[in-house]
Amino acid sequence: MSKNISDTFGQQLHQMRSDLLTQLRTQRGGKVGRAEAAADRHDVQSSDWAQNESERDLAMAMDERETAELAAIDAALGRIADGSYGQCSDCGVDIPTARLHANPAALRCVA
């Protein structure tokens, strides 16, 4: 993949990373993690225990998804740095540019 294209996707990935970190900070209200925030909500007396459990489970699942997304972005930035960005990790062929535009952190080709 050419340097200009890698730079373009690198900028997009850095923006995605920044946006995700901002979103996480906003949702967590600072440095408090989702699990801690959910535990705090659980401590509040409520007659609907099931709803509290459901909200806590959802918050933990969202945290896992966001952590995985952040790891995928960081891995893609690492591939740009080492020159392997845009190559399928399974078969080694070039990942189509359209796929990278749709998902700049893509690790594999569609096939």
Side-chain angles (χ1 to χ4, degrees):
M1 180 161 288
S2 75
K3 174 89 170 116
N4 290 339
I5 293 174
S6 291
D7 287 345
T8 299
F9 286 115
Q11 291 171 357
Q12 188 175 359
L13 286 162
H14 280 293
Q15 185 62 50
M16 288 171 60
R17 186 176 197 285
S18 176
D19 292 347
L20 181 59
L21 289 173
T22 299
Q23 176 185 341
L24 289 170
R25 281 188 209 102
T26 301
Q27 289 173 344
R28 292 178 178 170
K31 297 182 187 256
V32 176
R34 282 187 183 274
E36 291 87 358
D40 288 345
R41 281 195 306 267
H42 184 67
D43 289 340
V44 174
Q45 294 297 325
S46 174
S47 61
D48 195 350
W49 181 83
Q51 181 177 352
N52 287 341
E53 287 294 311
S54 179
E55 288 174 1
R56 185 180 56 142
D57 290 346
L58 178 61
M60 291 171 107
M62 288 176 61
D63 192 42
E64 289 176 14
R65 184 195 62 79
E66 291 159 345
T67 300
E69 185 178 349
L70 189 58
I73 291 169
D74 288 342
L77 290 168
R79 291 191 301 277
I80 288 174
D82 72 17
S84 64
Y85 182 78
Q87 296 174 340
C88 177
S89 65
D90 289 343
C91 64
V93 302
D94 287 342
I95 298 172
T97 305
R99 176 162 171 75
L100 293 173
H101 278 291
N103 180 11
L107 184 59
R108 295 177 180 85
C109 63
V110 174

